[in-house]
Structure formats: C-alpha cells, structure tokens
PDB file of all heavy atoms in Angstrom:
ATOM      1  N   GLN D  12     118.862  98.263 113.371  1.00 92.00           N
ATOM      2  CA  GLN D  12     119.561  98.816 112.223  1.00 92.00           C
ATOM      3  C   GLN D  12     118.567  99.575 111.363  1.00 92.00           C
ATOM      4  O   GLN D  12     117.486  99.066 111.059  1.00 92.00           O
ATOM      5  CB  GLN D  12     120.238  97.722 111.406  1.00 92.00           C
ATOM      6  CG  GLN D  12     121.366  97.022 112.139  1.00 92.00           C
ATOM      7  CD  GLN D  12     122.091  96.012 111.262  1.00 92.00           C
ATOM      8  OE1 GLN D  12     121.973  96.037 110.038  1.00 92.00           O
ATOM      9  NE2 GLN D  12     122.834  95.132 111.896  1.00 92.00           N
ATOM     10  N   LEU D  13     118.935 100.779 110.987  1.00 95.00           N
ATOM     11  CA  LEU D  13     118.060 101.650 110.225  1.00 95.00           C
ATOM     12  C   LEU D  13     118.760 102.119 108.959  1.00 95.00           C
ATOM     13  O   LEU D  13     119.912 102.540 109.007  1.00 95.00           O
ATOM     14  CB  LEU D  13     117.662 102.868 111.062  1.00 95.00           C
ATOM     15  CG  LEU D  13     117.048 102.571 112.437  1.00 95.00           C
ATOM     16  CD1 LEU D  13     116.955 103.852 113.256  1.00 95.00           C
ATOM     17  CD2 LEU D  13     115.668 101.949 112.263  1.00 95.00           C
ATOM     18  N   VAL D  14     118.061 102.039 107.836  1.00 96.00           N
ATOM     19  CA  VAL D  14     118.615 102.451 106.560  1.00 96.00           C
ATOM     20  C   VAL D  14     117.633 103.364 105.846  1.00 96.00           C
ATOM     21  O   VAL D  14     116.534 102.941 105.492  1.00 96.00           O
ATOM     22  CB  VAL D  14     118.943 101.243 105.662  1.00 96.00           C
ATOM     23  CG1 VAL D  14     119.538 101.726 104.343  1.00 96.00           C
ATOM     24  CG2 VAL D  14     119.901 100.301 106.368  1.00 96.00           C
ATOM     25  N   GLU D  15     118.051 104.615 105.631  1.00 97.00           N
ATOM     26  CA  GLU D  15     117.202 105.590 104.959  1.00 97.00           C
ATOM     27  C   GLU D  15     117.410 105.544 103.452  1.00 97.00           C
ATOM     28  O   GLU D  15     118.490 105.210 102.973  1.00 97.00           O
ATOM     29  CB  GLU D  15     117.500 107.014 105.454  1.00 97.00           C
ATOM     30  CG  GLU D  15     117.398 107.199 106.963  1.00 97.00           C
ATOM     31  CD  GLU D  15     118.724 107.047 107.667  1.00 97.00           C
ATOM     32  OE1 GLU D  15     119.624 106.361 107.123  1.00 97.00           O
ATOM     33  OE2 GLU D  15     118.881 107.617 108.762  1.00 97.00           O
ATOM     34  N   SER D  16     116.378 105.933 102.713  1.00 97.00           N
ATOM     35  CA  SER D  16     116.467 106.035 101.266  1.00 97.00           C
ATOM     36  C   SER D  16     115.416 107.019 100.771  1.00 97.00           C
ATOM     37  O   SER D  16     114.503 107.382 101.506  1.00 97.00           O
ATOM     38  CB  SER D  16     116.259 104.673 100.595  1.00 97.00           C
ATOM     39  OG  SER D  16     114.961 104.166 100.859  1.00 97.00           O
ATOM     40  N   GLY D  17     115.545 107.445  99.529  1.00 98.00           N
ATOM     41  CA  GLY D  17     114.556 108.318  98.923  1.00 98.00           C
ATOM     42  C   GLY D  17     114.974 109.759  98.741  1.00 98.00           C
ATOM     43  O   GLY D  17     114.242 110.546  98.132  1.00 98.00           O
ATOM     44  N   GLY D  18     116.129 110.133  99.262  1.00 98.00           N
ATOM     45  CA  GLY D  18     116.589 111.501  99.116  1.00 98.00           C
ATOM     46  C   GLY D  18     116.972 111.805  97.678  1.00 98.00           C
ATOM     47  O   GLY D  18     117.131 110.907  96.855  1.00 98.00           O
ATOM     48  N   GLY D  19     117.113 113.096  97.388  1.00 98.00           N
ATOM     49  CA  GLY D  19     117.480 113.492  96.048  1.00 98.00           C
ATOM     50  C   GLY D  19     117.421 114.989  95.867  1.00 98.00           C
ATOM     51  O   GLY D  19     117.227 115.740  96.825  1.00 98.00           O
ATOM     52  N   LEU D  20     117.593 115.421  94.627  1.00 98.00           N
ATOM     53  CA  LEU D  20     117.553 116.840  94.276  1.00 98.00           C
ATOM     54  C   LEU D  20     116.211 117.163  93.647  1.00 98.00           C
ATOM     55  O   LEU D  20     115.828 116.552  92.645  1.00 98.00           O
ATOM     56  CB  LEU D  20     118.690 117.173  93.304  1.00 98.00           C
ATOM     57  CG  LEU D  20     118.705 118.579  92.712  1.00 98.00           C
ATOM     58  CD1 LEU D  20     118.876 119.609  93.815  1.00 98.00           C
ATOM     59  CD2 LEU D  20     119.823 118.698  91.682  1.00 98.00           C
ATOM     60  N   VAL D  21     115.501 118.120  94.230  1.00 98.00           N
ATOM     61  CA  VAL D  21     114.195 118.529  93.720  1.00 98.00           C
ATOM     62  C   VAL D  21     114.099 120.047  93.726  1.00 98.00           C
ATOM     63  O   VAL D  21     114.936 120.740  94.302  1.00 98.00           O
ATOM     64  CB  VAL D  21     113.038 117.947  94.555  1.00 98.00           C
ATOM     65  CG1 VAL D  21     113.049 116.429  94.508  1.00 98.00           C
ATOM     66  CG2 VAL D  21     113.130 118.431  95.999  1.00 98.00           C
ATOM     67  N   GLN D  22     113.057 120.556  93.082  1.00 98.00           N
ATOM     68  CA  GLN D  22     112.806 121.988  93.061  1.00 98.00           C
ATOM     69  C   GLN D  22     111.786 122.361  94.117  1.00 98.00           C
ATOM     70  O   GLN D  22     110.994 121.531  94.559  1.00 98.00           O
ATOM     71  CB  GLN D  22     112.300 122.428  91.684  1.00 98.00           C
ATOM     72  CG  GLN D  22     113.324 122.327  90.576  1.00 98.00           C
ATOM     73  CD  GLN D  22     112.803 122.880  89.261  1.00 98.00           C
ATOM     74  OE1 GLN D  22     111.671 122.620  88.881  1.00 98.00           O
ATOM     75  NE2 GLN D  22     113.629 123.657  88.587  1.00 98.00           N
ATOM     76  N   ALA D  23     111.806 123.616  94.525  1.00 98.00           N
ATOM     77  CA  ALA D  23     110.841 124.107  95.497  1.00 98.00           C
ATOM     78  C   ALA D  23     109.424 123.816  95.015  1.00 98.00           C
ATOM     79  O   ALA D  23     109.101 124.024  93.847  1.00 98.00           O
ATOM     80  CB  ALA D  23     111.033 125.599  95.723  1.00 98.00           C
ATOM     81  N   GLY D  24     108.590 123.328  95.933  1.00 98.00           N
ATOM     82  CA  GLY D  24     107.224 122.990  95.598  1.00 98.00           C
ATOM     83  C   GLY D  24     107.030 121.525  95.261  1.00 98.00           C
ATOM     84  O   GLY D  24     105.897 121.034  95.246  1.00 98.00           O
ATOM     85  N   ASP D  25     108.116 120.821  95.004  1.00 98.00           N
ATOM     86  CA  ASP D  25     108.042 119.396  94.681  1.00 98.00           C
ATOM     87  C   ASP D  25     107.814 118.553  95.927  1.00 98.00           C
ATOM     88  O   ASP D  25     107.805 119.058  97.051  1.00 98.00           O
ATOM     89  CB  ASP D  25     109.326 118.942  93.986  1.00 98.00           C
ATOM     90  CG  ASP D  25     109.416 119.394  92.547  1.00 98.00           C
ATOM     91  OD1 ASP D  25     108.425 119.949  92.028  1.00 98.00           O
ATOM     92  OD2 ASP D  25     110.482 119.196  91.936  1.00 98.00           O
ATOM     93  N   SER D  26     107.644 117.265  95.709  1.00 98.00           N
ATOM     94  CA  SER D  26     107.436 116.320  96.798  1.00 98.00           C
ATOM     95  C   SER D  26     108.467 115.203  96.753  1.00 98.00           C
ATOM     96  O   SER D  26     108.992 114.868  95.690  1.00 98.00           O
ATOM     97  CB  SER D  26     106.036 115.701  96.722  1.00 98.00           C
ATOM     98  OG  SER D  26     105.025 116.677  96.882  1.00 98.00           O
ATOM     99  N   LEU D  27     108.746 114.643  97.910  1.00 98.00           N
ATOM    100  CA  LEU D  27     109.627 113.492  98.038  1.00 98.00           C
ATOM    101  C   LEU D  27     109.079 112.599  99.130  1.00 98.00           C
ATOM    102  O   LEU D  27     108.442 113.077 100.069  1.00 98.00           O
ATOM    103  CB  LEU D  27     111.049 113.910  98.413  1.00 98.00           C
ATOM    104  CG  LEU D  27     112.061 114.233  97.321  1.00 98.00           C
ATOM    105  CD1 LEU D  27     113.391 114.597  97.967  1.00 98.00           C
ATOM    106  CD2 LEU D  27     112.237 113.058  96.370  1.00 98.00           C
ATOM    107  N   ARG D  28     109.354 111.321  99.009  1.00 98.00           N
ATOM    108  CA  ARG D  28     108.948 110.375 100.032  1.00 98.00           C
ATOM    109  C   ARG D  28     110.186 109.624 100.500  1.00 98.00           C
ATOM    110  O   ARG D  28     110.798 108.877  99.734  1.00 98.00           O
ATOM    111  CB  ARG D  28     107.912 109.389  99.496  1.00 98.00           C
ATOM    112  CG  ARG D  28     107.333 108.454 100.565  1.00 98.00           C
ATOM    113  CD  ARG D  28     106.252 107.554  99.983  1.00 98.00           C
ATOM    114  NE  ARG D  28     105.693 106.638 100.963  1.00 98.00           N
ATOM    115  CZ  ARG D  28     104.708 106.934 101.793  1.00 98.00           C
ATOM    116  NH1 ARG D  28     104.153 108.146 101.758  1.00 98.00           N
ATOM    117  NH2 ARG D  28     104.247 106.031 102.660  1.00 98.00           N
ATOM    118  N   LEU D  29     110.546 109.829 101.754  1.00 98.00           N
ATOM    119  CA  LEU D  29     111.677 109.142 102.342  1.00 98.00           C
ATOM    120  C   LEU D  29     111.210 107.851 102.993  1.00 98.00           C
ATOM    121  O   LEU D  29     110.085 107.766 103.483  1.00 98.00           O
ATOM    122  CB  LEU D  29     112.370 110.015 103.389  1.00 98.00           C
ATOM    123  CG  LEU D  29     112.850 111.396 102.944  1.00 98.00           C
ATOM    124  CD1 LEU D  29     113.578 112.079 104.091  1.00 98.00           C
ATOM    125  CD2 LEU D  29     113.753 111.278 101.718  1.00 98.00           C
ATOM    126  N   SER D  30     112.081 106.871 103.009  1.00 97.00           N
ATOM    127  CA  SER D  30     111.755 105.596 103.616  1.00 97.00           C
ATOM    128  C   SER D  30     112.884 105.160 104.536  1.00 97.00           C
ATOM    129  O   SER D  30     114.052 105.396 104.248  1.00 97.00           O
ATOM    130  CB  SER D  30     111.520 104.531 102.539  1.00 97.00           C
ATOM    131  OG  SER D  30     111.167 103.288 103.114  1.00 97.00           O
ATOM    132  N   CYS D  31     112.522 104.535 105.637  1.00 96.00           N
ATOM    133  CA  CYS D  31     113.485 104.007 106.591  1.00 96.00           C
ATOM    134  C   CYS D  31     113.174 102.544 106.827  1.00 96.00           C
ATOM    135  O   CYS D  31     112.102 102.213 107.354  1.00 96.00           O
ATOM    136  CB  CYS D  31     113.413 104.793 107.905  1.00 96.00           C
ATOM    137  SG  CYS D  31     114.425 104.109 109.240  1.00 96.00           S
ATOM    138  N   ALA D  32     114.091 101.677 106.430  1.00 94.00           N
ATOM    139  CA  ALA D  32     113.922 100.240 106.630  1.00 94.00           C
ATOM    140  C   ALA D  32     114.510  99.862 107.975  1.00 94.00           C
ATOM    141  O   ALA D  32     115.675 100.145 108.246  1.00 94.00           O
ATOM    142  CB  ALA D  32     114.597  99.467 105.504  1.00 94.00           C
ATOM    143  N   ALA D  33     113.704  99.230 108.810  1.00 90.00           N
ATOM    144  CA  ALA D  33     114.125  98.853 110.153  1.00 90.00           C
ATOM    145  C   ALA D  33     114.295  97.349 110.276  1.00 90.00           C
ATOM    146  O   ALA D  33     113.409  96.581 109.902  1.00 90.00           O
ATOM    147  CB  ALA D  33     113.112  99.343 111.181  1.00 90.00           C
ATOM    148  N   SER D  34     115.452  96.950 110.820  1.00 88.00           N
ATOM    149  CA  SER D  34     115.704  95.527 111.026  1.00 88.00           C
ATOM    150  C   SER D  34     115.168  95.055 112.368  1.00 88.00           C
ATOM    151  O   SER D  34     115.006  93.868 112.595  1.00 88.00           O
ATOM    152  CB  SER D  34     117.202  95.244 110.940  1.00 88.00           C
ATOM    153  OG  SER D  34     117.907  95.902 111.979  1.00 88.00           O
ATOM    154  N   GLY D  35     114.903  95.985 113.266  1.00 71.00           N
ATOM    155  CA  GLY D  35     114.404  95.666 114.588  1.00 71.00           C
ATOM    156  C   GLY D  35     112.890  95.696 114.669  1.00 71.00           C
ATOM    157  O   GLY D  35     112.202  95.506 113.669  1.00 71.00           O
ATOM    158  N   ARG D  36     112.400  95.972 115.864  1.00 67.00           N
ATOM    159  CA  ARG D  36     110.959  95.993 116.101  1.00 67.00           C
ATOM    160  C   ARG D  36     110.319  97.222 115.485  1.00 67.00           C
ATOM    161  O   ARG D  36     110.726  98.350 115.750  1.00 67.00           O
ATOM    162  CB  ARG D  36     110.677  95.954 117.595  1.00 67.00           C
ATOM    163  CG  ARG D  36     111.228  94.725 118.293  1.00 67.00           C
ATOM    164  CD  ARG D  36     110.970  94.781 119.788  1.00 67.00           C
ATOM    165  NE  ARG D  36     111.572  93.648 120.474  1.00 67.00           N
ATOM    166  CZ  ARG D  36     111.543  93.470 121.785  1.00 67.00           C
ATOM    167  NH1 ARG D  36     110.942  94.360 122.563  1.00 67.00           N
ATOM    168  NH2 ARG D  36     112.127  92.408 122.320  1.00 67.00           N
ATOM    169  N   ILE D  37     109.302  97.001 114.694  1.00 66.00           N
ATOM    170  CA  ILE D  37     108.633  98.096 114.017  1.00 66.00           C
ATOM    171  C   ILE D  37     107.804  98.943 114.975  1.00 66.00           C
ATOM    172  O   ILE D  37     107.461 100.086 114.648  1.00 66.00           O
ATOM    173  CB  ILE D  37     107.748  97.554 112.866  1.00 66.00           C
ATOM    174  CG1 ILE D  37     107.312  98.698 111.952  1.00 66.00           C
ATOM    175  CG2 ILE D  37     106.549  96.809 113.437  1.00 66.00           C
ATOM    176  CD1 ILE D  37     108.460  99.400 111.269  1.00 66.00           C
ATOM    177  N   ASN D  38     107.487  98.415 116.152  1.00 77.00           N
ATOM    178  CA  ASN D  38     106.680  99.175 117.100  1.00 77.00           C
ATOM    179  C   ASN D  38     107.501 100.098 117.992  1.00 77.00           C
ATOM    180  O   ASN D  38     106.948 100.770 118.861  1.00 77.00           O
ATOM    181  CB  ASN D  38     105.811  98.244 117.958  1.00 77.00           C
ATOM    182  CG  ASN D  38     106.628  97.316 118.830  1.00 77.00           C
ATOM    183  OD1 ASN D  38     107.789  97.056 118.565  1.00 77.00           O
ATOM    184  ND2 ASN D  38     105.996  96.797 119.878  1.00 77.00           N
ATOM    185  N   TYR D  39     108.819 100.128 117.797  1.00 87.00           N
ATOM    186  CA  TYR D  39     109.652 101.079 118.519  1.00 87.00           C
ATOM    187  C   TYR D  39     109.239 102.489 118.165  1.00 87.00           C
ATOM    188  O   TYR D  39     108.807 102.756 117.047  1.00 87.00           O
ATOM    189  CB  TYR D  39     111.113 100.908 118.120  1.00 87.00           C
ATOM    190  CG  TYR D  39     111.899  99.869 118.868  1.00 87.00           C
ATOM    191  CD1 TYR D  39     111.318  99.057 119.827  1.00 87.00           C
ATOM    192  CD2 TYR D  39     113.255  99.702 118.594  1.00 87.00           C
ATOM    193  CE1 TYR D  39     112.060  98.102 120.500  1.00 87.00           C
ATOM    194  CE2 TYR D  39     114.007  98.754 119.261  1.00 87.00           C
ATOM    195  CZ  TYR D  39     113.414  97.954 120.214  1.00 87.00           C
ATOM    196  OH  TYR D  39     114.153  97.010 120.879  1.00 87.00           O
ATOM    197  N   PRO D  40     109.380 103.413 119.110  1.00 92.00           N
ATOM    198  CA  PRO D  40     109.189 104.818 118.750  1.00 92.00           C
ATOM    199  C   PRO D  40     110.228 105.175 117.699  1.00 92.00           C
ATOM    200  O   PRO D  40     111.404 104.814 117.833  1.00 92.00           O
ATOM    201  CB  PRO D  40     109.455 105.561 120.064  1.00 92.00           C
ATOM    202  CG  PRO D  40     109.154 104.559 121.128  1.00 92.00           C
ATOM    203  CD  PRO D  40     109.637 103.256 120.554  1.00 92.00           C
ATOM    204  N   MET D  41     109.814 105.850 116.656  1.00 93.00           N
ATOM    205  CA  MET D  41     110.724 106.200 115.583  1.00 93.00           C
ATOM    206  C   MET D  41     110.450 107.624 115.125  1.00 93.00           C
ATOM    207  O   MET D  41     109.360 108.155 115.321  1.00 93.00           O
ATOM    208  CB  MET D  41     110.584 105.240 114.398  1.00 93.00           C
ATOM    209  CG  MET D  41     110.881 103.795 114.736  1.00 93.00           C
ATOM    210  SD  MET D  41     110.683 102.686 113.324  1.00 93.00           S
ATOM    211  CE  MET D  41     112.102 103.184 112.322  1.00 93.00           C
ATOM    212  N   GLY D  42     111.455 108.205 114.507  1.00 96.00           N
ATOM    213  CA  GLY D  42     111.277 109.570 114.055  1.00 96.00           C
ATOM    214  C   GLY D  42     112.244 109.963 112.962  1.00 96.00           C
ATOM    215  O   GLY D  42     113.186 109.224 112.646  1.00 96.00           O
ATOM    216  N   TRP D  43     111.986 111.123 112.395  1.00 98.00           N
ATOM    217  CA  TRP D  43     112.843 111.706 111.383  1.00 98.00           C
ATOM    218  C   TRP D  43     113.467 112.982 111.929  1.00 98.00           C
ATOM    219  O   TRP D  43     112.785 113.792 112.572  1.00 98.00           O
ATOM    220  CB  TRP D  43     112.059 112.024 110.110  1.00 98.00           C
ATOM    221  CG  TRP D  43     111.638 110.812 109.346  1.00 98.00           C
ATOM    222  CD1 TRP D  43     110.430 110.188 109.394  1.00 98.00           C
ATOM    223  CD2 TRP D  43     112.438 110.087 108.406  1.00 98.00           C
ATOM    224  NE1 TRP D  43     110.420 109.104 108.542  1.00 98.00           N
ATOM    225  CE2 TRP D  43     111.638 109.023 107.925  1.00 98.00           C
ATOM    226  CE3 TRP D  43     113.735 110.232 107.927  1.00 98.00           C
ATOM    227  CZ2 TRP D  43     112.104 108.109 106.981  1.00 98.00           C
ATOM    228  CZ3 TRP D  43     114.203 109.322 106.995  1.00 98.00           C
ATOM    229  CH2 TRP D  43     113.388 108.278 106.530  1.00 98.00           C
ATOM    230  N   PHE D  44     114.732 113.162 111.648  1.00 98.00           N
ATOM    231  CA  PHE D  44     115.491 114.319 112.075  1.00 98.00           C
ATOM    232  C   PHE D  44     116.302 114.803 110.887  1.00 98.00           C
ATOM    233  O   PHE D  44     116.511 114.066 109.934  1.00 98.00           O
ATOM    234  CB  PHE D  44     116.416 113.960 113.244  1.00 98.00           C
ATOM    235  CG  PHE D  44     115.683 113.374 114.424  1.00 98.00           C
ATOM    236  CD1 PHE D  44     115.281 112.045 114.418  1.00 98.00           C
ATOM    237  CD2 PHE D  44     115.383 114.155 115.533  1.00 98.00           C
ATOM    238  CE1 PHE D  44     114.596 111.490 115.488  1.00 98.00           C
ATOM    239  CE2 PHE D  44     114.695 113.615 116.619  1.00 98.00           C
ATOM    240  CZ  PHE D  44     114.298 112.290 116.592  1.00 98.00           C
ATOM    241  N   ARG D  45     116.747 116.028 110.933  1.00 98.00           N
ATOM    242  CA  ARG D  45     117.525 116.540 109.817  1.00 98.00           C
ATOM    243  C   ARG D  45     118.613 117.488 110.296  1.00 98.00           C
ATOM    244  O   ARG D  45     118.514 118.092 111.357  1.00 98.00           O
ATOM    245  CB  ARG D  45     116.626 117.254 108.803  1.00 98.00           C
ATOM    246  CG  ARG D  45     115.989 118.546 109.309  1.00 98.00           C
ATOM    247  CD  ARG D  45     114.991 119.078 108.298  1.00 98.00           C
ATOM    248  NE  ARG D  45     114.408 120.347 108.724  1.00 98.00           N
ATOM    249  CZ  ARG D  45     113.417 120.959 108.087  1.00 98.00           C
ATOM    250  NH1 ARG D  45     112.893 120.410 106.994  1.00 98.00           N
ATOM    251  NH2 ARG D  45     112.937 122.112 108.541  1.00 98.00           N
ATOM    252  N   GLN D  46     119.634 117.592 109.487  1.00 98.00           N
ATOM    253  CA  GLN D  46     120.725 118.496 109.783  1.00 98.00           C
ATOM    254  C   GLN D  46     121.095 119.242 108.506  1.00 98.00           C
ATOM    255  O   GLN D  46     121.590 118.647 107.552  1.00 98.00           O
ATOM    256  CB  GLN D  46     121.946 117.745 110.331  1.00 98.00           C
ATOM    257  CG  GLN D  46     123.058 118.656 110.798  1.00 98.00           C
ATOM    258  CD  GLN D  46     124.088 117.933 111.651  1.00 98.00           C
ATOM    259  OE1 GLN D  46     124.131 116.703 111.674  1.00 98.00           O
ATOM    260  NE2 GLN D  46     124.895 118.676 112.367  1.00 98.00           N
ATOM    261  N   ALA D  47     120.816 120.530 108.500  1.00 97.00           N
ATOM    262  CA  ALA D  47     121.130 121.373 107.363  1.00 97.00           C
ATOM    263  C   ALA D  47     122.599 121.783 107.421  1.00 97.00           C
ATOM    264  O   ALA D  47     123.212 121.760 108.493  1.00 97.00           O
ATOM    265  CB  ALA D  47     120.238 122.605 107.357  1.00 97.00           C
ATOM    266  N   PRO D  48     123.172 122.170 106.290  1.00 92.00           N
ATOM    267  CA  PRO D  48     124.577 122.596 106.270  1.00 92.00           C
ATOM    268  C   PRO D  48     124.843 123.712 107.268  1.00 92.00           C
ATOM    269  O   PRO D  48     124.134 124.726 107.277  1.00 92.00           O
ATOM    270  CB  PRO D  48     124.771 123.076 104.837  1.00 92.00           C
ATOM    271  CG  PRO D  48     123.781 122.285 104.050  1.00 92.00           C
ATOM    272  CD  PRO D  48     122.576 122.203 104.946  1.00 92.00           C
ATOM    273  N   GLY D  49     125.822 123.529 108.119  1.00 95.00           N
ATOM    274  CA  GLY D  49     126.195 124.543 109.086  1.00 95.00           C
ATOM    275  C   GLY D  49     125.263 124.697 110.261  1.00 95.00           C
ATOM    276  O   GLY D  49     125.425 125.629 111.051  1.00 95.00           O
ATOM    277  N   LYS D  50     124.287 123.810 110.408  1.00 97.00           N
ATOM    278  CA  LYS D  50     123.333 123.912 111.499  1.00 97.00           C
ATOM    279  C   LYS D  50     123.322 122.651 112.357  1.00 97.00           C
ATOM    280  O   LYS D  50     123.860 121.619 111.973  1.00 97.00           O
ATOM    281  CB  LYS D  50     121.930 124.182 110.960  1.00 97.00           C
ATOM    282  CG  LYS D  50     121.776 125.512 110.244  1.00 97.00           C
ATOM    283  CD  LYS D  50     120.343 125.768 109.846  1.00 97.00           C
ATOM    284  CE  LYS D  50     120.178 127.117 109.190  1.00 97.00           C
ATOM    285  NZ  LYS D  50     118.761 127.391 108.819  1.00 97.00           N
ATOM    286  N   GLU D  51     122.701 122.755 113.522  1.00 98.00           N
ATOM    287  CA  GLU D  51     122.570 121.615 114.414  1.00 98.00           C
ATOM    288  C   GLU D  51     121.463 120.695 113.940  1.00 98.00           C
ATOM    289  O   GLU D  51     120.540 121.117 113.242  1.00 98.00           O
ATOM    290  CB  GLU D  51     122.273 122.091 115.837  1.00 98.00           C
ATOM    291  CG  GLU D  51     123.373 122.924 116.472  1.00 98.00           C
ATOM    292  CD  GLU D  51     124.634 122.132 116.691  1.00 98.00           C
ATOM    293  OE1 GLU D  51     124.540 120.969 117.134  1.00 98.00           O
ATOM    294  OE2 GLU D  51     125.718 122.669 116.433  1.00 98.00           O
ATOM    295  N   ARG D  52     121.562 119.429 114.307  1.00 98.00           N
ATOM    296  CA  ARG D  52     120.527 118.483 113.965  1.00 98.00           C
ATOM    297  C   ARG D  52     119.235 118.853 114.702  1.00 98.00           C
ATOM    298  O   ARG D  52     119.261 119.268 115.858  1.00 98.00           O
ATOM    299  CB  ARG D  52     120.960 117.062 114.340  1.00 98.00           C
ATOM    300  CG  ARG D  52     120.052 115.971 113.792  1.00 98.00           C
ATOM    301  CD  ARG D  52     120.641 114.586 114.044  1.00 98.00           C
ATOM    302  NE  ARG D  52     121.935 114.422 113.406  1.00 98.00           N
ATOM    303  CZ  ARG D  52     122.621 113.280 113.390  1.00 98.00           C
ATOM    304  NH1 ARG D  52     122.117 112.200 113.983  1.00 98.00           N
ATOM    305  NH2 ARG D  52     123.804 113.228 112.793  1.00 98.00           N
ATOM    306  N   GLU D  53     118.099 118.706 114.026  1.00 98.00           N
ATOM    307  CA  GLU D  53     116.828 119.079 114.615  1.00 98.00           C
ATOM    308  C   GLU D  53     115.752 118.028 114.353  1.00 98.00           C
ATOM    309  O   GLU D  53     115.828 117.257 113.401  1.00 98.00           O
ATOM    310  CB  GLU D  53     116.356 120.430 114.072  1.00 98.00           C
ATOM    311  CG  GLU D  53     116.047 120.427 112.587  1.00 98.00           C
ATOM    312  CD  GLU D  53     115.532 121.761 112.083  1.00 98.00           C
ATOM    313  OE1 GLU D  53     115.409 122.705 112.889  1.00 98.00           O
ATOM    314  OE2 GLU D  53     115.250 121.869 110.869  1.00 98.00           O
TER     315      GLU D  53
END
C-alpha cells in the first residue's frame, strides 16, 4: 500500500518535497511517475 503526500500549489522556481509512505517492503523497487492534464502518465 502506497500513500503519497506533499503536493500543493507553488510558483515557478519554488521547491516541493513529495513523500510516499509504504506499508510493504521498503527495499522494493520504487519510483515516481506523473500525469499532466491531457497527457499520458510518464
């Protein structure tokens, strides 16, 4: 089970730190992906 947090509204040039809490094994391969409006997930 994976739960993301940390998203929000920022201005260009700002920084954000996203976090993903994992209920399973932390040594699993893990990654971040994104899907912009009207686009495919990447």
Side-chain angles (χ1 to χ4, degrees):
Q12 294 184 17
L13 306 169
V14 181
E15 305 94 335
S16 63
L20 173 63
V21 298
Q22 292 185 316
D25 285 353
S26 297
L27 271 181
R28 186 177 179 85
L29 304 183
S30 181
C31 173
S34 64
R36 300 177 184 178
I37 193 62
N38 63 339
Y39 274 3
M41 300 179 70
W43 289 97
F44 303 79
R45 67 187 183 187
Q46 186 165 15
K50 296 185 177 181
E51 297 295 318
R52 191 172 300 185
E53 65 178 0

